[in-house]
Amino acid sequence: MKRNIINSIFIAAVIFIVSTSYTHVFSQEKKKFVVVLDAGHGGHDPGNRGNGYKEKEIALNVVLAVGATLEKDPNYKVVYTRKTDEFIELHERGNIANKANADLFVSVHCNSHRSQAYGTETFVLGLHANDENFNVAKNENSVILLEDNYEANYDGFDPNSPESIIGLTLMQEEYLDQSLTLASFVQNRFKKSLERKSRGVKQAGFVVLHQTYMPSVLIELGFLTNNNEGRYLNSKKGQDDMAKSITTSIIDYKESLDAIYYIPKPDTPQEPGHVTAKMDGDKIYQDITFKVQIAAGSTDIALQSFNFNGLEQLSKVRDGDLYKYYFGSTSNYTLIQELKEIAVGKGFSSSFVVAFRNNELIPLADALKASTSSN
C-alpha cells in the first residue's frame, strides 16, 4: 500500500513536470519579442555637450520614438531603462534588461571628437582593437565615476585603464554573432536609407554591454561636435530619421531570426561538397547568395579547414575591425539550411544563415521575399 502511494506521488510529479514543460514551451512560442531601449546618460550626467547640444536629450528623444513605433506592434514588448531625464547607473541598466528576460538590448548615444569627425558607428562588446575604439568606450564608461559606490558595483573597474577593459571577459560571447548581425543592419540602414557616413561596426569594452545577457549593441548616432551633424541630430527631423532607421533595423533583425528558426529544416543533411546540387522542391533565390556565418572576431584566421573543425568552402569578410567567417555559398535556401546543420554538428552551435545581394549583407527576411523558382 505504501509503495503504491509512493508510486502514485512519483507519477503525479512526473505528469506535473511534463505538463509544466509543455506549458512553458507553448508560452515561449507566444512570447513577445522583448526589446530594451537604453537612452544614454541622463539627470546630472548630460553626456557630451558638443556645440552646446545635450547628448542625454537627443538619445532620449530617439529612444522614445523607436519605442513608440515598436509598441504599436503586438509582437513586441518594449522596456526602457529610462523614459525621463534621470540618472540610471550602468549596472542597473543591465539589470533592467536581464530582469526583463530581453531578446535585445539597444543603447543609444552621440559621439564627440576634438576634430570635425562625423559619421555613425555601432559597437558590440569586445576588446578594443585600437586607441580610437578604446577612447570611445572610455568616454561612455566614465559615467560610472558619477555613481556613489562604483568600486563595489564594478569590482574595482577603472574606466581609464586599458587593463580593466581587457578584464571585461566576453561573458556575451555566445551572443556575439547575433549582436553583429543587428549592428550590421543598423549601419547599412543608416548608410543606404539616410545616406549618413558609416564608420562601421566595431568592438569595444563598454560596461553597459558587459552587464547584459542577450544580443546587445551600442549605437553612436553621430558627432555632436561636428557642426553639420550636430545640428542635424539636434533637430526633430534628424532624430525622427535616426529613430525610424533603428526601428526598421530591429524589425529586420527579428524577422531574420523568425526566418532562421521557424522555416522547416530538411530531414537529411547534405555533405558540404554538394553545395551546387539542386533537388526537387528546392527554394532557389535568384540574385541572392546565402552563407552560414560560423564565427566573428577581431582575429584574422587563415581559411584552412583545420582551423574550423574540418569545414571547407570557407570565406571571410573584414568589416571595420572585425572579421566574419562564413561556410558555404549558394542561392539554394534549402541547401544552406542543411549546411547550417553541418556547421552546428561541427561545433559551431551559434551558426546562422545570412544573405547577400551584390556582395552586400541584407536582412534575411528581405532575401526570402525575393521571387523564387524550383528546379
Short mmCIF file of all heavy atoms in Angstrom, two decimals, residues 63-96:
data_model
loop_
_atom_site.label_atom_id
_atom_site.label_comp_id
_atom_site.label_asym_id
_atom_site.label_seq_id
_atom_site.Cartn_x
_atom_site.Cartn_y
_atom_site.Cartn_z
N VAL A 63 15.23 57.29 -28.54
CA VAL A 63 14.76 56.05 -27.91
C VAL A 63 13.24 56.05 -27.76
O VAL A 63 12.57 55.04 -28.04
CB VAL A 63 15.45 55.87 -26.54
CG1 VAL A 63 14.63 54.97 -25.62
CG2 VAL A 63 16.84 55.26 -26.74
N LEU A 64 12.67 57.16 -27.33
CA LEU A 64 11.21 57.23 -27.15
C LEU A 64 10.48 57.08 -28.49
O LEU A 64 9.41 56.48 -28.56
CB LEU A 64 10.82 58.54 -26.47
CG LEU A 64 11.27 58.71 -25.02
CD1 LEU A 64 10.88 60.09 -24.49
CD2 LEU A 64 10.68 57.61 -24.13
N ALA A 65 11.07 57.62 -29.56
CA ALA A 65 10.46 57.49 -30.88
C ALA A 65 10.52 56.05 -31.38
O ALA A 65 9.56 55.54 -31.96
CB ALA A 65 11.15 58.44 -31.87
N VAL A 66 11.66 55.38 -31.15
CA VAL A 66 11.78 53.97 -31.52
C VAL A 66 10.74 53.15 -30.76
O VAL A 66 10.02 52.33 -31.33
CB VAL A 66 13.20 53.44 -31.22
CG1 VAL A 66 13.26 51.92 -31.43
CG2 VAL A 66 14.23 54.13 -32.11
N GLY A 67 10.67 53.37 -29.46
CA GLY A 67 9.74 52.61 -28.62
C GLY A 67 8.30 52.83 -29.00
O GLY A 67 7.49 51.89 -29.01
N ALA A 68 7.95 54.08 -29.33
CA ALA A 68 6.56 54.40 -29.68
C ALA A 68 6.11 53.61 -30.91
O ALA A 68 4.96 53.15 -30.98
CB ALA A 68 6.41 55.90 -29.92
N THR A 69 7.00 53.45 -31.86
CA THR A 69 6.66 52.68 -33.07
C THR A 69 6.55 51.20 -32.77
O THR A 69 5.61 50.53 -33.18
CB THR A 69 7.71 52.93 -34.17
OG1 THR A 69 7.77 54.32 -34.47
CG2 THR A 69 7.34 52.16 -35.44
N LEU A 70 7.53 50.65 -32.06
CA LEU A 70 7.51 49.22 -31.76
C LEU A 70 6.30 48.84 -30.90
O LEU A 70 5.74 47.75 -31.05
CB LEU A 70 8.80 48.82 -31.05
CG LEU A 70 10.09 48.83 -31.87
CD1 LEU A 70 11.28 48.47 -30.99
CD2 LEU A 70 9.99 47.89 -33.06
N GLU A 71 5.89 49.73 -30.00
CA GLU A 71 4.78 49.43 -29.10
C GLU A 71 3.45 49.31 -29.84
O GLU A 71 2.49 48.73 -29.31
CB GLU A 71 4.67 50.50 -28.03
CG GLU A 71 5.76 50.39 -26.97
CD GLU A 71 5.78 51.54 -26.00
OE1 GLU A 71 5.35 52.65 -26.38
OE2 GLU A 71 6.22 51.34 -24.85
N LYS A 72 3.39 49.80 -31.07
CA LYS A 72 2.17 49.67 -31.87
C LYS A 72 2.02 48.27 -32.46
O LYS A 72 0.95 47.90 -32.93
CB LYS A 72 2.18 50.70 -33.00
CG LYS A 72 2.13 52.15 -32.52
CD LYS A 72 2.23 53.11 -33.68
CE LYS A 72 2.25 54.56 -33.19
NZ LYS A 72 2.41 55.52 -34.33
N ASP A 73 3.10 47.49 -32.44
CA ASP A 73 3.10 46.14 -32.99
C ASP A 73 2.92 45.16 -31.83
O ASP A 73 3.75 45.11 -30.92
CB ASP A 73 4.43 45.87 -33.72
CG ASP A 73 4.42 44.56 -34.49
OD1 ASP A 73 3.76 43.61 -34.03
OD2 ASP A 73 5.11 44.49 -35.52
N PRO A 74 1.87 44.34 -31.86
CA PRO A 74 1.62 43.41 -30.74
C PRO A 74 2.68 42.33 -30.58
O PRO A 74 2.69 41.62 -29.57
CB PRO A 74 0.26 42.80 -31.09
CG PRO A 74 0.13 42.97 -32.58
CD PRO A 74 0.83 44.26 -32.89
N ASN A 75 3.58 42.19 -31.55
CA ASN A 75 4.63 41.18 -31.46
C ASN A 75 5.79 41.63 -30.57
O ASN A 75 6.67 40.83 -30.26
CB ASN A 75 5.18 40.85 -32.84
CG ASN A 75 4.15 40.16 -33.71
OD1 ASN A 75 3.53 39.19 -33.30
ND2 ASN A 75 3.94 40.68 -34.92
N TYR A 76 5.79 42.91 -30.18
CA TYR A 76 6.91 43.45 -29.43
C TYR A 76 6.48 43.93 -28.04
O TYR A 76 5.37 44.43 -27.85
CB TYR A 76 7.54 44.64 -30.17
CG TYR A 76 8.21 44.27 -31.46
CD1 TYR A 76 7.49 44.22 -32.65
CD2 TYR A 76 9.57 43.97 -31.50
CE1 TYR A 76 8.10 43.86 -33.84
CE2 TYR A 76 10.19 43.62 -32.69
CZ TYR A 76 9.44 43.57 -33.86
OH TYR A 76 10.04 43.21 -35.04
N LYS A 77 7.39 43.78 -27.11
CA LYS A 77 7.26 44.41 -25.80
C LYS A 77 8.48 45.29 -25.61
O LYS A 77 9.61 44.83 -25.79
CB LYS A 77 7.19 43.37 -24.68
CG LYS A 77 7.16 43.99 -23.29
CD LYS A 77 7.17 42.93 -22.19
CE LYS A 77 7.21 43.57 -20.81
NZ LYS A 77 7.26 42.54 -19.72
N VAL A 78 8.26 46.55 -25.28
CA VAL A 78 9.36 47.49 -25.13
C VAL A 78 9.56 47.82 -23.65
O VAL A 78 8.61 48.10 -22.93
CB VAL A 78 9.09 48.79 -25.91
CG1 VAL A 78 10.23 49.79 -25.71
CG2 VAL A 78 8.92 48.48 -27.40
N VAL A 79 10.80 47.75 -23.22
CA VAL A 79 11.19 48.12 -21.86
C VAL A 79 12.24 49.23 -21.97
O VAL A 79 13.17 49.13 -22.78
CB VAL A 79 11.77 46.92 -21.08
CG1 VAL A 79 12.25 47.34 -19.70
CG2 VAL A 79 10.73 45.81 -20.98
N TYR A 80 12.07 50.28 -21.19
CA TYR A 80 13.00 51.41 -21.22
C TYR A 80 13.86 51.41 -19.95
O TYR A 80 13.36 51.15 -18.85
CB TYR A 80 12.25 52.74 -21.28
CG TYR A 80 11.32 52.88 -22.46
CD1 TYR A 80 10.00 52.43 -22.39
CD2 TYR A 80 11.74 53.48 -23.64
CE1 TYR A 80 9.13 52.58 -23.46
CE2 TYR A 80 10.88 53.63 -24.73
CZ TYR A 80 9.58 53.17 -24.62
OH TYR A 80 8.72 53.31 -25.68
N THR A 81 15.14 51.74 -20.10
CA THR A 81 15.95 51.93 -18.90
C THR A 81 15.64 53.29 -18.27
O THR A 81 15.78 53.46 -17.06
CB THR A 81 17.45 51.83 -19.21
OG1 THR A 81 17.79 52.82 -20.20
CG2 THR A 81 17.80 50.44 -19.72
N ARG A 82 15.22 54.23 -19.09
CA ARG A 82 14.70 55.50 -18.59
C ARG A 82 13.79 56.13 -19.64
O ARG A 82 14.05 56.00 -20.84
CB ARG A 82 15.83 56.46 -18.21
CG ARG A 82 16.65 57.01 -19.39
CD ARG A 82 17.73 57.95 -18.87
NE ARG A 82 18.52 58.56 -19.95
CZ ARG A 82 18.28 59.77 -20.46
NH1 ARG A 82 17.28 60.51 -20.00
NH2 ARG A 82 19.04 60.26 -21.43
N LYS A 83 12.73 56.79 -19.18
CA LYS A 83 11.82 57.50 -20.08
C LYS A 83 11.81 58.99 -19.78
O LYS A 83 11.08 59.74 -20.44
CB LYS A 83 10.40 56.93 -19.95
CG LYS A 83 10.28 55.47 -20.37
CD LYS A 83 8.84 55.00 -20.31
CE LYS A 83 7.99 55.60 -21.42
NZ LYS A 83 6.63 55.02 -21.46
N THR A 84 12.57 59.39 -18.78
CA THR A 84 12.63 60.79 -18.40
C THR A 84 14.10 61.17 -18.21
O THR A 84 15.00 60.35 -18.34
CB THR A 84 11.85 61.04 -17.09
OG1 THR A 84 12.42 60.24 -16.04
CG2 THR A 84 10.38 60.68 -17.26
N ASP A 85 14.31 62.42 -17.84
CA ASP A 85 15.67 62.92 -17.61
C ASP A 85 16.13 62.52 -16.22
O ASP A 85 16.12 63.32 -15.28
CB ASP A 85 15.69 64.43 -17.78
CG ASP A 85 17.10 65.01 -17.65
OD1 ASP A 85 18.06 64.22 -17.72
OD2 ASP A 85 17.22 66.23 -17.46
N GLU A 86 16.55 61.28 -16.06
CA GLU A 86 17.02 60.78 -14.77
C GLU A 86 18.32 60.02 -14.95
O GLU A 86 18.62 59.50 -16.02
CB GLU A 86 15.98 59.87 -14.11
CG GLU A 86 15.62 58.65 -14.92
CD GLU A 86 14.60 57.76 -14.21
OE1 GLU A 86 14.71 57.61 -12.98
OE2 GLU A 86 13.71 57.23 -14.90
N PHE A 87 19.08 59.95 -13.90
CA PHE A 87 20.37 59.27 -13.94
C PHE A 87 20.17 57.80 -13.53
O PHE A 87 19.67 57.51 -12.44
CB PHE A 87 21.35 59.94 -12.97
CG PHE A 87 22.70 59.29 -12.92
CD1 PHE A 87 23.58 59.42 -13.98
CD2 PHE A 87 23.09 58.54 -11.81
CE1 PHE A 87 24.83 58.82 -13.93
CE2 PHE A 87 24.33 57.94 -11.76
CZ PHE A 87 25.21 58.08 -12.83
N ILE A 88 20.55 56.90 -14.42
CA ILE A 88 20.48 55.46 -14.15
C ILE A 88 21.89 54.91 -14.21
O ILE A 88 22.60 55.09 -15.21
CB ILE A 88 19.59 54.73 -15.19
CG1 ILE A 88 18.21 55.38 -15.28
CG2 ILE A 88 19.48 53.24 -14.85
CD1 ILE A 88 17.38 55.23 -14.02
N GLU A 89 22.32 54.23 -13.15
CA GLU A 89 23.66 53.67 -13.13
C GLU A 89 23.82 52.59 -14.19
O GLU A 89 22.85 51.90 -14.53
CB GLU A 89 23.97 53.12 -11.74
CG GLU A 89 23.96 54.20 -10.66
CD GLU A 89 24.26 53.66 -9.28
OE1 GLU A 89 24.30 52.42 -9.12
OE2 GLU A 89 24.47 54.47 -8.37
N LEU A 90 25.03 52.44 -14.70
CA LEU A 90 25.26 51.50 -15.80
C LEU A 90 24.88 50.07 -15.42
O LEU A 90 24.27 49.35 -16.20
CB LEU A 90 26.72 51.54 -16.25
CG LEU A 90 27.19 52.80 -16.99
CD1 LEU A 90 28.61 52.59 -17.53
CD2 LEU A 90 26.26 53.15 -18.13
N HIS A 91 25.25 49.65 -14.22
CA HIS A 91 24.95 48.28 -13.83
C HIS A 91 23.45 48.06 -13.71
O HIS A 91 22.95 46.96 -13.98
CB HIS A 91 25.66 47.91 -12.53
CG HIS A 91 25.09 48.56 -11.31
ND1 HIS A 91 24.16 47.93 -10.51
CD2 HIS A 91 25.30 49.79 -10.78
CE1 HIS A 91 23.84 48.75 -9.52
NE2 HIS A 91 24.51 49.87 -9.66
N GLU A 92 22.70 49.12 -13.36
CA GLU A 92 21.26 48.99 -13.23
C GLU A 92 20.60 48.88 -14.61
O GLU A 92 19.59 48.19 -14.77
CB GLU A 92 20.68 50.19 -12.47
CG GLU A 92 19.17 50.12 -12.26
CD GLU A 92 18.73 48.87 -11.52
OE1 GLU A 92 19.52 48.30 -10.73
OE2 GLU A 92 17.58 48.43 -11.76
N ARG A 93 21.18 49.51 -15.61
CA ARG A 93 20.65 49.40 -16.98
C ARG A 93 20.70 47.94 -17.44
O ARG A 93 19.76 47.42 -18.03
CB ARG A 93 21.44 50.30 -17.93
CG ARG A 93 21.29 51.78 -17.63
CD ARG A 93 22.29 52.64 -18.41
NE ARG A 93 22.31 54.01 -17.95
CZ ARG A 93 21.70 55.03 -18.57
NH1 ARG A 93 21.02 54.82 -19.68
NH2 ARG A 93 21.78 56.25 -18.07
N GLY A 94 21.83 47.29 -17.16
CA GLY A 94 21.94 45.88 -17.48
C GLY A 94 20.98 45.03 -16.69
O GLY A 94 20.37 44.09 -17.21
N ASN A 95 20.80 45.36 -15.40
CA ASN A 95 19.86 44.61 -14.57
C ASN A 95 18.44 44.70 -15.10
O ASN A 95 17.68 43.73 -15.06
CB ASN A 95 19.91 45.14 -13.13
CG ASN A 95 21.18 44.74 -12.40
OD1 ASN A 95 21.84 43.78 -12.79
ND2 ASN A 95 21.53 45.48 -11.36
N ILE A 96 18.07 45.88 -15.58
CA ILE A 96 16.72 46.06 -16.13
C ILE A 96 16.51 45.11 -17.31
O ILE A 96 15.47 44.46 -17.43
CB ILE A 96 16.52 47.52 -16.56
CG1 ILE A 96 16.46 48.43 -15.33
CG2 ILE A 96 15.25 47.67 -17.41
CD1 ILE A 96 16.48 49.91 -15.65
#
